[in-house]
Amino acid sequence: MDIAVRAPVVIVGAGPVGLALALFLDAQDVASVVCDESDASFAHPRGNTHNARTMEHYRRLGIADQVRALGLPEEHPTDVAYFTRYSGFELARLPMPSSAEARKARASAPRTDQVPEPLHRANQMYVERFLARHARTRPNITLRYGCRVEGILQDGAGVTVHLDGGGRLRAQYVVGCDGGRSLVRRSAGISYCGHSSLDQDIFGRQATAAHLRLPTLRRELLGGRDAWSYWAVNAEVVVNLFSLNGTDEYSLLTSSMDPDFFDAQQLTRIVRHAAGADLPVQVLGYRAWRPGVALVAESFGTGRVFLAGDAAHLFTPTGGFGMNTGIDDASNLAWKLAARVHGWGGGGLLDSYGAERRPVAVRNTAAARALNQNLADLQRPAVLEDDSPAGRAARQALGGRLGSFGEQFRSLGVQLGARYDGSPVIVGEERDDPPTDSLTTYMPSSVAGGRAPHLWLDGQRERGSSLFDRLGPGFTLLRLGARPPAGDALRTEAAARGIPLTVLDIPDPVARDLYERDLVLIRPDGHVAWRGNRLPKGGGALLARVSGSM
């Protein structure tokens, strides 16, 4: 058999999820080959939101500051603004902090603040370019653009990846991060289930996404009314423009034209109708987009083949949950693949990936779809733009409705609240009471299965100041409070099993109060695996359970 390359992991798809997975594996000292049929031009804007959990992952990878340098200028507002037309009435505005304001707020936040890395607005195409450049500097990552995968074939010892042109790769594991039309998912015989559309006029049955240059919009129509997201809502059209660079480039979403019969001149007319002015419009690219989607793969893997990102779940973009859920998939899967490659992960460890992540995908896709349904009942009467009592009343009613949409931008419960209760590799205590799940609210809790609560360890807010900065690359045993039990026995047992374990002493009483136990075992993905006031006898059974060997 002519095998061009052998690697522990082959990743199909070099979008943000595939690149993040490669970087997570690199942090675990596992080599990967990333194949993508594109030319690495990253020319098409997609998602704009890197939420608080994703930014935490970037921090753990040491790249959060570089990502924050991308996108809008630091002082540019990230408000969501609603207009009748960009030259007309402002209906409502949802204030959001600029990057500079978020940084200042972090500096003065309490030590127990749970958002060490605030959400950041930067278009996916900019971040993909950076992730690809960064990945090329890592010795464990091989990027192969222009590399089309035609099929995958599993056997008892590994997976053969067949490439266009006759080449083949051989891997221990393959991960499909290759989008909604995933060849990897189809090759594995896995289908989606859920909702494929939404029957409503505004961002329901169909929509068009486009990349535009509008050189005069900000200067001539939006001066002094800067935002990140600019909606135009009137009886004629509904358009949402996202500022990409804070000056002249925008991504557009609209359901006011049929994406199957794209016409650049028609799109130009729609933009001018939204603006209420005959402004210059340059169409740089476009694609069809189906809103209202809430699809989740029936399984997140079979045998040695796994799915992450859009290959595992498809979202409506409302709320910005899609890519971020995929990045969280990659964080969960990477350490489990590494454990198997390095030999310390048990045979049941990889089974826990789908058991943990699929319920989160079902939860998050449903949340995004519910937010999208908010748009269904917007009233856009013909008098909306009239300078009359009826027009003013219509604008006040619509503005009040739009102003209530803040929940989709205050989704901290979705961002940080994913839990793995009932997972086979989580060890809970009797009478544990996990916090109630919420779209908008995150309640820090050390109950096993959830994200480890955050704590600033000093007042500097620099690299090393966060508890998350002190966690090891493998498991971390926190010893909390003034007189915690010794962790030597667990360290010895972990060494005997080859399990990477860092023992971290935090005598700070604030940490002990936050975690409510003397000992807490944190997984490589930052979730609590176990907590207690004393170690189980010997510790071997605990380590066997959390490493998938039991």
Side-chain angles (χ1 to χ4, degrees):
M1 181 181 294
D2 179 23
I3 302 295
V5 175
R6 296 179 185 270
V9 180
V10 167
I11 300 167
V12 183
V17 175
L19 291 169
L21 177 59
L23 291 168
F24 286 131
L25 289 169
D26 173 68
Q28 298 284 336
D29 197 27
V30 173
S32 65
V33 176
V34 186
C35 300
D36 196 291
E37 62 182 299
S38 75
D39 60 2
S41 60
F42 306 113
H44 303 291
R46 291 184 182 271
N48 292 276
T49 301
H50 303 261
N51 73 20
R53 184 60 173 160
T54 293
M55 293 305 300
E56 287 178 5
H57 290 316
Y58 292 157
R59 184 184 183 103
R60 289 276 283 157
L61 292 169
I63 58 175
D65 289 345
Q66 293 95 315
V67 171
R68 288 198 183 279
L70 305 172
L72 295 175
E74 188 178 43
E75 302 288 347
H76 195 286
T78 62
D79 298 355
V80 179
Y82 299 92
F83 304 87
T84 53
R85 299 178 196 266
Y86 301 132
S87 61
F89 299 98
E90 183 168 318
L91 296 165
R93 179 174 290 259
L94 303 177
M96 303 286 169
S98 68
S99 292
E101 290 168 338
R103 189 183 69 252
K104 292 175 184 176
R106 180 175 66 176
S108 60
R111 292 182 55 211
T112 55
D113 180 62
Q114 291 303 304
V115 188
E117 289 290 348
L119 174 151
H120 180 62
R121 307 288 189 192
N123 196 269
Q124 185 176 313
M125 67 178 180
Y126 300 141
V127 177
E128 282 181 344
R129 291 170 189 167
F130 164 72
L131 291 176
R133 289 196 305 271
H134 181 62
R136 288 189 177 99
T137 71
R138 308 304 304 165
N140 285 318
I141 301 175
T142 301
L143 298 183
R144 297 185 61 170
Y145 288 98
C147 178
R148 180 182 175 85
V149 174
E150 292 194 330
I152 58 174
L153 182 63
Q154 296 192 61
D155 56 54
V159 189
T160 301
V161 180
H162 294 267
L163 307 177
D164 183 28
R168 286 178 286 187
L169 307 176
R170 182 68 174 170
Q172 292 175 252
Y173 302 98
V174 168
V175 183
C177 301
D178 50 340
R181 299 179 180 179
S182 171
L183 177 140
V184 175
R185 189 187 67 252
R186 288 182 281 113
S187 296
I190 299 172
S191 299
Y192 281 139
C193 57
H195 302 279
S196 58
S197 64
L198 189 61
D199 189 18
Q200 63 186 49
D201 290 335
I202 301 175
F203 295 142
R205 291 175 288 274
Q206 60 185 10
T208 298
H211 183 193
L212 306 176
R213 179 168 288 116
L214 307 173
T216 65
L217 174 66
R218 181 170 180 256
R219 182 179 68 248
E220 296 184 2
L221 299 183
L222 295 173
R225 301 188 294 174
D226 280 341
W228 159 67
S229 171
Y230 302 92
W231 286 80
V233 183
N234 56 62
E236 191 175 18
V237 296
V238 175
V239 167
N240 190 7
L241 287 178
F242 299 94
S243 181
L244 298 180
N245 60 3
T247 55
D248 64 343
E249 282 197 46
Y250 300 84
S251 61
L252 169 146
L253 295 178
T254 185
S255 52
S256 297
M257 69 178 295
D258 187 342
D260 294 330
F261 301 94
F262 181 80
D263 182 329
Q265 291 183 340
Q266 182 189 5
L267 181 60
T268 296
R269 288 194 295 271
I270 288 172
V271 174
R272 288 172 176 167
H273 289 322
D278 191 21
L279 77 174
V281 178
Q282 183 180 359
V283 180
L284 304 176
Y286 75 93
R287 61 186 174 89
W289 166 63
R290 186 171 293 280
V293 171
L295 295 172
V296 179
E298 293 174 336
S299 166
F300 276 29
T302 177
R304 293 174 173 270
V305 176
F306 299 90
L307 306 174
D310 286 355
H313 39 68
L314 272 183
F315 284 72
T316 187
T318 312
F321 301 153
M323 182 203 72
N324 294 285
T325 302
I327 299 288
D328 220 18
D329 293 341
S331 173
N332 184 295
L333 179 58
W335 75 268
K336 297 172 180 178
L337 289 171
R340 292 295 287 164
V341 169
H342 291 314
W344 59 264
L349 186 58
L350 286 170
D351 291 338
S352 72
Y353 168 62
E356 292 180 348
R357 291 303 301 169
R358 191 175 186 279
V360 174
V362 171
R363 164 195 186 250
N364 291 2
T365 54
R369 181 178 165 86
L371 291 174
N372 197 64
Q373 288 174 307
N374 285 338
L375 300 170
D377 60 353
L378 294 183
Q379 300 300 310
R380 300 176 288 145
V383 299
L384 185 66
E385 299 176 84
D386 290 354
D387 188 11
S388 67
R392 288 191 289 274
R395 289 192 294 276
Q396 183 176 12
L398 179 56
R401 180 77 180 107
L402 294 168
S404 71
F405 287 177
E407 63 180 6
Q408 73 188 63
F409 303 102
R410 293 189 294 269
S411 57
L412 202 60
V414 172
Q415 296 178 47
L416 302 181
R419 296 194 55 85
Y420 305 144
D421 301 308
S423 166
V425 295
I426 293 292
V427 183
E429 296 178 296
E430 292 184 13
R431 299 183 301 276
D432 267 345
D433 189 14
T436 302
D437 192 27
S438 167
L439 170 69
T440 57
T441 302
Y442 168 71
M443 181 65 67
S445 170
S446 68
V447 171
R451 164 192 179 264
H454 177 259
L455 178 69
W456 291 110
L457 299 178
D458 58 41
Q460 301 305 309
R461 306 299 195 267
E462 296 176 349
R463 185 71 183 171
S465 297
S466 168
L467 171 62
F468 294 170
D469 299 338
R470 309 285 181 90
L471 302 178
F475 284 88
T476 300
L477 178 67
L478 298 183
R479 299 178 65 242
L480 302 169
R483 296 181 179 178
D488 295 342
L490 195 68
R491 189 188 341 238
T492 299
E493 186 68 34
R497 295 169 176 266
I499 297 175
L501 175 68
T502 299
V503 178
L504 181 60
D505 292 350
I506 308 289
D508 189 336
V510 176
R512 176 60 178 78
D513 291 345
L514 180 63
Y515 276 86
E516 301 179 313
R517 296 295 185 275
D518 295 334
L519 300 170
V520 180
L521 186 64
I522 300 178
R523 308 190 325 182
D525 60 359
H527 280 251
V528 176
W530 168 86
R531 66 176 187 168
N533 288 325
R534 61 178 181 272
L535 286 173
K537 188 175 180 180
L542 171 60
L543 290 172
R545 176 78 175 273
V546 300
S547 64
S549 299
M550 182 181 292

